[in-house]
Amino acid sequence: MTSAYLYAAARTPFGRFGGALAESRPDDLAATALRGLLKKAPALDPAAIGDVVWGCANQAGEDNRNVGRMAVLLAGLPVSVPANTVNRLCGSSLDAAIIGSRTIESGDADVVVAGGVESMTRAPWVLPKPSRAFPAGNVTAVSTTLGWRLVNDNMPKEWTISLGECNELLGDKFGISRERQDEFAARSHNLADEAWNAGFYDDLVVPVAGADLDRDEGIRPGSSAEKLARLKPSFRPEGTITAGNASPLNDGASAILLGSEAAADRIGSAPIARVAGRGVAAVDPVMFGYAPVEAADKALARAGVTWADVTAVELNEAFAVQSLACVDAWDIDPAIVNAKGGAIAVGHPLGASGGRILGTLAARLKESGGRYGVAAICIGVGQALAVVLENVA
């Protein structure tokens, strides 16, 4: 079986909810990331792309009806290039990359593009459709931006609590203090700012036409645990989770170019990293933030390496508390985790985040020369995904 390699990565800057990308449709954001990615492979004939696998968590508004295919058409690719859209909530674009890597390994295609998009700003309100026409009473519009909606009455109530309350429970279980969470969040902002200032993201991020945004909008330079300590808890009166130590709502898109080793000639460049292992895990829905622990351990086992071999980790920071719980469980050096900032600062547009962490991981391995890295992401309703990359740059 052939191996799958990562050749290039691109993403838009991530905008804040209602911010600089609020006027950009999600299908346009997806097309922007796709065009930006292909500019990195000018020798590649787009008609040679065997498939496009795209992630999106919402799919209730302008991202409906297979937004991956819409991105292909809007980006001006040949109509012969197929595309699919997958939904594993926050893990959608990492799942897309996993699917793309399997496609290459199986020999079904030599070149695959994976990616994802989310506009949490433009996620619509929805109305449940009545079973009979013209109901006499009032109906309630439900926001599709984040979390449960139109919940099945048969679903256990303890599983449908808010994502924030789930993570308050996780913090209780592992005794993770507010102080540790705020310190972790401040670190994320400052590392992201340093990485942007040092030019790390210059080759990864492509501009969005018509938007005045040249870097991730949510980064707060000079953040400190002391400043974050002033924020009020968001989910419990005496809780530990605030708007400062959790990821914000965001808009953005990411894309990854995958290929076989033999595809290097048609792509016109050497690969950066090999997909060495993959892992998926599921847990009690309330414990979703802890699910990356098992997913990453599985991916490492399938790669035939251990945590001692890992020099870089990109863990999506849905909440500081769940990130700390995972890092503690892995018993790894926190310094190797999200060394260029994480989702608390950079942002977490759900369907795009998996592609972001995978592209960032490959760039970190290339920069440092380290051999193995792990990208992992938690997923609402109790799931997680992880990918191990081997540096071949």
Side-chain angles (χ1 to χ4, degrees):
M1 186 172 65
T2 188
S3 291
Y5 293 86
L6 188 153
Y7 280 83
R11 68 173 177 89
T12 68
F14 288 174
R16 288 188 67 87
F17 185 82
L21 299 183
E23 300 299 320
S24 300
R25 288 175 55 113
D27 46 4
D28 286 329
L29 290 174
T32 297
L34 185 51
R35 283 192 296 264
L37 179 72
L38 295 182
K39 285 182 180 178
K40 296 187 173 188
L44 177 64
D45 178 0
I49 298 171
D51 204 0
V52 173
V53 190
W54 210 256
C56 185
N58 192 14
Q59 302 181 48
E62 297 160 338
D63 48 11
N64 74 92
R65 305 293 291 174
N66 191 0
V67 68
R69 175 63 172 171
M70 302 306 170
V72 164
L73 298 176
L74 288 167
L77 274 65
V79 296
S80 60
V81 177
N84 183 35
T85 301
V86 299
N87 188 343
R88 205 190 286 254
L89 300 182
C90 302
S92 296
S93 53
L94 195 59
D95 207 10
I98 287 173
I99 293 167
S101 67
R102 290 179 182 140
T103 300
I104 290 162
E105 291 172 357
S106 70
D108 285 347
D110 273 339
V111 179
V112 173
V113 171
V117 67
E118 210 75 52
S119 175
M120 301 178 81
T121 297
R122 299 175 74 88
W125 294 286
V126 297
L127 292 173
K129 191 174 182 179
S131 55
R132 297 183 180 180
F134 313 122
N138 296 327
V139 292
T140 301
V142 178
S143 172
T144 65
T145 296
L146 181 70
W148 293 87
R149 83 261 328 222
L150 306 178
V151 181
N152 191 318
D153 288 337
N154 293 321
M155 190 68 70
K157 301 303 181 194
E158 64 269 21
W159 286 354
T160 62
I161 60 176
S162 72
L163 301 178
E165 178 58 23
C166 287
N167 278 274
E168 288 284 11
L169 292 170
L170 190 65
D172 292 344
K173 180 179 178 68
F174 292 106
I176 298 172
S177 69
R178 165 76 183 269
E179 290 73 20
R180 282 191 71 196
Q181 294 176 54
D182 287 345
E183 288 169 359
F184 184 87
R187 172 184 181 269
S188 184
H189 282 283
N190 291 320
L191 288 177
D193 182 53
E194 290 170 11
W196 269 104
N197 292 339
F200 175 83
Y201 286 113
D202 291 353
D203 189 51
L204 282 172
V205 177
V206 297
V208 176
D212 183 18
L213 186 64
D214 56 5
R215 60 184 273 172
D216 301 309
E217 194 172 12
I219 299 171
R220 297 292 180 261
S223 291
S224 68
E226 292 73 24
K227 292 178 181 177
L228 293 175
R230 301 169 192 158
L231 299 177
K232 294 181 179 180
S234 298
F235 302 99
R236 293 180 182 175
E238 303 301 325
T240 64
I241 298 174
T242 72
N245 59 33
S247 61
L249 306 178
N250 296 96
D251 310 326
S254 63
I256 300 290
L257 180 61
L258 300 166
S260 66
E261 189 173 15
D265 288 341
R266 67 170 62 181
I267 291 173
S269 64
I272 301 171
R274 180 179 71 90
V275 177
R278 298 170 292 249
V280 59
V283 297
D284 185 303
V286 174
M287 293 291 290
F288 77 93
Y290 196 67
V293 173
E294 183 181 354
D297 288 345
K298 284 183 176 180
L300 286 167
R302 287 167 182 158
V305 297
T306 69
W307 280 110
D309 302 300
V310 174
T311 62
V313 176
E314 284 295 315
L315 172 62
N316 192 61
E317 299 167 355
F319 295 82
V321 65
Q322 62 83 207
S323 299
L324 288 165
C326 292
V327 173
D328 289 350
W330 292 323
D331 193 23
I332 57 176
D333 181 359
I336 71 171
V337 180
N338 300 350
K340 307 298 182 181
I344 289 173
V346 171
H348 180 21
L350 308 180
S353 288
R356 177 193 72 80
I357 61 172
L358 196 62
T360 303
L361 179 65
R364 283 183 60 195
L365 290 173
K366 182 179 179 180
E367 178 188 66
S368 69
R371 184 171 181 184
Y372 289 104
V374 175
I377 192 165
C378 68
I379 301 166
V381 201
Q383 296 191 87
L385 292 170
V387 171
V388 175
L389 292 183
E390 180 185 15
N391 181 11
V392 298

